[in-house]
Amino acid sequence: MTTDRDRKPTLLVALGGNALIKKGQTGSIEEQFENLKIPARQIARLSADYRIIITHGNGPQVGNLLLQQECCDAVPKLPLEILVAQTGGQLAYMIESTLDEALMEMGTEYRPLVSLITYVVVDRNDPAFEHPSKPIGPSFSPEKARALPYPTMETPKGHRRVVASPRPVTIVESREIRALIDMDFIVICCGGGGIPVIRRGRAFNGVDAVIDKDLASARLASELAIDLFVIATDVEGAMLRFGKADQQMLPRLTPETAARYLAEGHFGTGSMGPKIEAAAGFVRSGGKRAVITSVEKIAAAVYDERVGTQFMAG
């Protein structure tokens, strides 16, 4: 186990599920494996200087799985919590194997990796259960969305299915994750925001929901006092008036400025909003630095505070 004297700083990288499927792609496994090489090679290099935790989304993947099972009546339907666990395991395997390959390419003889199915406690009375807001699955045209048998919302990528997304209260396996990173394991956890559970006495019960992976990652980063929290997505950073001719990149934000922009409605609830809230909340709770950047610039944003949108206390 490492000691305080030789302890490397800890980096948490949150990979977006959408970042693994590029615009115009079908989302095949081959495409996702190829896309994963971009963050994996950067994380492999960063592991020389940092202890690493990787979290990841599953929005496209769990939505696709939900569609697949709805097309088949030959077997019983699975609840959403089980689909979250399935996609968590699927993506963790893909990340771990791609990262292991990247470490071997670097000549690293041995670096222990572990994937952890993670429980995330939510409040059974969270109003999110009455107001679904988490977009999952593919995007649809407005005409197609109107004909679907489930609720949708408009996002920058089109209309997408929405499900309940309660806020994370605590990460159940945070002590195990801390022990693993203290032994210099690279830990992959909180897949798809983690499996949402509620407490019933001393037991946990899964619930039908998907937790936002950025908010769950921020919760974990705060509970473990992570040194640096990076949210990797499919754009270079947070922007005002995103998608318009006069869009403006925000190179640096304080939690106070971020809160003001959120209150003014500059960031969509189904896109950049949760990322801003997660990064700002981490810094507000005592975190040193958080970054929102593109998948291609993870390492650059870690080493250069001019890359991406950097969050620091004012």
Side-chain angles (χ1 to χ4, degrees):
M1 183 177 294
T2 57
T3 66
D4 288 340
R5 186 177 61 184
D6 60 10
R7 172 186 176 275
K8 293 187 291 187
T10 306
L11 166 65
L12 191 156
V13 179
L15 297 174
N18 279 314
L20 307 184
I21 301 176
K22 298 184 180 297
K23 187 175 181 179
Q25 293 184 334
T26 62
S28 70
I29 293 297
E30 292 78 14
E31 288 172 340
Q32 292 184 65
F33 265 119
E34 188 63 28
N35 293 339
L36 273 172
K37 292 179 181 180
I38 296 171
R41 286 167 177 162
Q42 296 174 79
I43 292 170
R45 295 196 301 271
L46 287 164
S47 69
D49 299 320
Y50 289 87
R51 300 185 297 173
I52 304 286
I53 298 173
I54 303 170
T55 62
H56 59 88
N58 71 342
Q61 294 82 5
V62 76
N64 290 346
L65 194 55
L66 201 56
L67 281 174
Q68 287 173 355
Q69 78 164 7
E70 287 170 350
C71 294
C72 176
D73 294 321
V75 295
K77 301 292 189 291
L78 298 174
L80 191 52
E81 77 206 60
I82 300 298
L83 302 185
V84 170
Q86 288 183 345
T87 53
Q90 167 199 327
L91 289 167
Y93 154 68
M94 295 173 71
I95 293 168
E96 185 172 331
S97 60
T98 307
L99 180 56
D100 194 32
E101 183 178 314
L103 288 165
M104 287 189 289
E105 286 176 357
M106 287 175 49
T108 302
E109 290 187 8
Y110 176 70
R111 184 67 185 271
L113 309 171
V114 65
S115 299
L116 192 65
I117 295 294
T118 315
Y119 285 5
V120 178
V121 176
V122 300
D123 184 346
R124 71 184 69 190
N125 298 314
D126 193 307
F129 288 111
E130 300 296 326
H131 304 283
S133 63
K134 175 66 176 174
I136 63 172
S139 59
F140 302 99
S141 68
E143 295 75 22
K144 175 67 174 176
R146 282 194 290 269
L148 294 172
Y150 43 76
T152 64
M153 70 178 291
E154 186 175 3
T155 75
K157 298 178 184 298
H159 289 260
R160 298 178 69 197
R161 183 177 192 157
V162 289
V163 297
S165 183
R167 298 183 67 83
V169 175
T170 189
I171 312 300
V172 174
E173 290 86 1
S174 59
R175 286 177 296 181
E176 289 85 349
I177 295 168
R178 184 190 301 278
L180 288 165
I181 61 172
D182 281 345
M183 293 186 288
D184 211 24
F185 276 80
I186 296 176
V187 181
I188 302 165
C189 58
C190 285
I195 301 173
V197 297
I198 57 174
R199 294 185 187 273
R200 292 191 185 277
R202 296 184 61 185
F204 294 108
N205 291 87
V207 292
D208 212 38
V210 173
I211 302 171
D212 183 87
K213 78 96 177 42
D214 296 310
L215 297 180
S217 300
R219 181 73 259 149
L220 177 63
S222 295
E223 290 184 3
L224 297 183
I226 296 302
D227 296 283
L228 176 57
F229 174 32
V230 175
I231 298 175
T233 184
D234 52 358
V235 294
E236 59 181 303
M239 301 181 193
L240 298 179
R241 302 175 297 279
F242 177 70
K244 298 181 179 179
D246 62 342
Q247 71 180 19
Q248 176 188 347
M249 173 76 179
L250 297 169
R252 187 171 295 236
L253 284 174
T254 64
E256 295 74 22
T257 304
R260 176 165 58 83
Y261 284 146
L262 281 168
E264 292 171 355
H266 288 284
F267 308 111
T269 57
S271 53
M272 187 57 69
K275 294 174 174 54
I276 297 288
E277 184 181 351
F282 169 69
V283 173
R284 187 182 299 109
S285 67
K288 298 175 184 177
R289 180 163 66 109
V291 187
I292 298 174
T293 191
S294 68
V295 170
E296 292 80 9
K297 295 184 178 180
I298 294 170
V302 168
Y303 292 122
D304 187 345
E305 294 178 6
R306 296 169 297 179
V307 176
T309 298
Q310 303 270 341
F311 292 75
M312 297 181 192

